[in-house]
Amino acid sequence: MEINYIAALGFIAGTLTTASFLPQVLKTIKTKETKDLSLAMYVVLATGLFLWTVYGILIGSFPVIIANAVSFVLASCILIFKIKYG
Amino acid sequence: MEINYIAALGFIAGTLTTASFLPQVLKTIKTKETKDLSLAMYVVLATGLFLWTVYGILIGSFPVIIANAVSFVLASCILIFKIKYG
């Protein structure tokens, strides 16, 4: 039972960190302003999330794959906006 | 041996995603401009990273604790800047 609570906490934590990028994507779609965003942050973040996804595939962990693949797509959207809008 | 390569990949991925927040912290210290950053992103991200750290403590995983604790501190710095500079 205690293990289930801990697993649930991990699930909630993963959902929050993955979902967190969505408000930035939506804000940037709306404003088309990215001046204050760090290009280096999103280059390094997207690279790291891609490697996390590969790591998840190699260890066969579906939660690691799905959380990082979704985060990678969202962070890549922000990176593309940053490159486009400067 | 193959396991070591996979573990190394996980270590690199974790280092990148954790370190990614540092350029944003440094940029914001320099410019004091946070208009284009999403407040909701950093509220949800910091909350998620805090819960990841608690999860790491509960499962006794030092890599999960350290990666998420450092990320939490950096994301919280950005959140404080956002609240301060608007």
Side-chain angles (χ1 to χ4, degrees):
Chain A
M1 188 58 123
E2 200 184 298
I3 294 294
N4 286 345
Y5 284 121
I6 294 172
L9 179 66
F11 180 78
I12 294 166
T15 303
L16 288 177
T17 49
T18 296
S20 71
F21 300 108
L22 194 58
Q24 182 69 63
V25 171
L26 297 176
K27 180 185 174 89
T28 308
I29 287 173
K30 199 173 160 188
T31 65
K32 296 182 170 51
E33 296 275 354
T34 56
K35 180 178 58 68
D36 303 336
L37 303 184
S38 164
L39 176 64
M41 168 174 162
Y42 285 97
V43 169
V44 176
L45 183 63
T47 306
L49 291 168
F50 177 77
L51 294 182
W52 267 127
T53 307
V54 174
Y55 175 77
I57 292 166
L58 292 175
I59 66 167
S61 167
F62 185 69
V64 172
I65 296 168
I66 195 72
N68 287 290
V70 173
S71 299
F72 169 72
V73 169
L74 293 172
S76 297
C77 286
I78 301 168
L79 176 59
I80 291 165
F81 291 148
K82 174 65 186 173
I83 292 168
K84 189 173 172 187
Y85 300 128
Chain B
M1 188 58 122
E2 200 184 299
I3 294 292
N4 285 346
Y5 284 121
I6 295 172
L9 180 67
F11 179 79
I12 294 165
T15 303
L16 288 177
T17 49
T18 296
S20 70
F21 299 109
L22 194 59
Q24 182 69 65
V25 171
L26 297 176
K27 181 186 173 92
T28 309
I29 287 172
K30 199 173 162 188
T31 65
K32 296 182 171 52
E33 296 275 354
T34 56
K35 181 178 56 68
D36 304 335
L37 302 184
S38 165
L39 176 64
M41 168 172 161
Y42 285 97
V43 169
V44 176
L45 183 64
T47 306
L49 290 168
F50 177 77
L51 294 182
W52 268 128
T53 307
V54 175
Y55 175 78
I57 293 166
L58 291 174
I59 66 166
S61 167
F62 184 70
V64 172
I65 295 168
I66 195 72
N68 286 289
V70 174
S71 299
F72 170 72
V73 169
L74 294 172
S76 296
C77 287
I78 301 169
L79 176 58
I80 290 165
F81 291 147
K82 174 66 186 174
I83 292 167
K84 189 173 172 189
Y85 300 127

